[in-house]
Amino acid sequence: NIKILISSINKLFNKVFYELTQWISYPLIWVPGVIGVKLRKYIYKIYLFKCGSNVNISIGCYIRDFKNISFGNNIKLGINAQIYAGDNSKIKIGNSLSTNSNIMINADCGGYIEIKENVLIGPNVVIRVSNHTSTRTDIPINRQGHTAGRIIINEDVWLGANVVVLPDVEIGKGSIVAAGAVVTKNVGNYCIVGGIPAKLIKMRN
């Protein structure tokens, strides 16, 4: 059957292409200095679904599944950032994102993450859009798969150090999430929230 043959060839091509991108990108992760920044910018501009201008990716940053990730202009990723978008997930990052070190943006397992313009992200922040399924008790959790969700972070948001943003959350424009908070539900515009789970502390306006 011609259709089956074409499908098999496409799958093989995609696997080979994915493997090649990993081999090409991995050494780039650890190239230091200005040369490393320029090399990463050049290579990621080729492989990402979209990559704007003035993208600065620091040493140690690991990006997986380039085809599902879009970067706007003026992006700065701190040391050891991790960005994952496997399994038909999508990550869309708008203009002027600035992150500190050791952050994770994880949309694996079919999730969607959108970070809009002028967002600040402190060190050790985790933004994860999918959870392990745990409804059954007759089989281990690690065999139950995942449930995918969505996270939207609107314009002019500041996430402090060690913040965790969980699935199916929208953080409103101009809001601040205090250090160490765990965001489990929507945050309105111009709110300052903190705690576990995050609750309103006061309004900015």
Side-chain angles (χ1 to χ4, degrees):
N1 189 306
I2 297 296
K3 287 184 178 180
I4 294 173
L5 178 62
I6 291 172
S7 176
S8 298
I9 291 170
N10 283 337
K11 287 178 181 178
L12 178 62
F13 174 81
N14 288 335
K15 286 181 180 179
V16 171
F17 180 77
Y18 177 81
E19 189 72 15
L20 285 173
T21 59
Q22 297 304 300
W23 277 89
I24 291 168
S25 64
Y26 188 78
L28 289 175
I29 293 171
W30 304 109
V31 179
V34 175
I35 291 174
V37 171
K38 289 185 179 296
L39 282 172
R40 283 185 286 274
K41 177 181 176 180
Y42 176 77
I43 293 297
Y44 293 152
K45 201 169 185 71
I46 295 171
Y47 286 115
L48 288 166
F49 180 78
K50 178 185 174 185
C51 185
S53 61
N54 193 28
V55 172
N56 187 322
I57 300 172
S58 300
I59 192 169
C61 292
Y62 181 64
I63 300 174
R64 192 175 68 206
D65 295 286
F66 300 102
K67 68 183 184 300
N68 298 328
I69 299 170
S70 299
F71 284 171
N73 303 319
N74 305 314
I75 304 297
K76 181 182 178 183
L77 297 180
I79 294 170
N80 297 329
Q82 301 173 63
I83 301 179
Y84 304 143
D87 308 311
N88 297 314
S89 306
K90 296 292 180 188
I91 294 176
K92 183 179 179 182
I93 296 176
N95 298 331
S96 302
L97 170 71
S98 182
T99 84
N100 211 301
S101 56
N102 301 312
I103 68 141
M104 175 185 280
I105 301 172
N106 188 339
D108 278 351
C109 306
Y112 178 80
I113 295 174
E114 183 174 358
I115 299 174
K116 298 188 179 180
E117 297 187 355
N118 300 306
V119 171
L120 295 169
I121 299 179
N124 307 312
V125 167
V126 175
I127 301 168
R128 182 175 170 83
V129 81
S130 299
N131 266 333
H132 292 281
T133 302
S134 58
T135 53
R136 296 177 60 178
T137 56
D138 58 323
I139 57 174
I141 293 170
N142 64 2
R143 297 181 192 169
Q144 295 186 42
H146 294 79
T147 55
R150 294 168 60 88
I151 292 173
I152 308 293
I153 299 174
N154 285 291
E155 297 89 347
D156 191 29
V157 166
W158 175 19
L159 305 180
N162 301 301
V163 164
V164 177
V165 182
L166 295 179
D168 299 319
V169 159
E170 181 169 356
I171 300 178
K173 180 179 180 179
S175 288
I176 298 171
V177 182
V182 178
V183 183
T184 61
K185 60 183 180 180
N186 291 347
V187 175
N189 295 338
Y190 301 106
C191 295
I192 299 176
V193 300
I196 303 174
K199 295 181 179 178
L200 181 66
I201 297 172
K202 65 178 183 177
M203 301 297 296
R204 288 185 63 203
N205 58 350

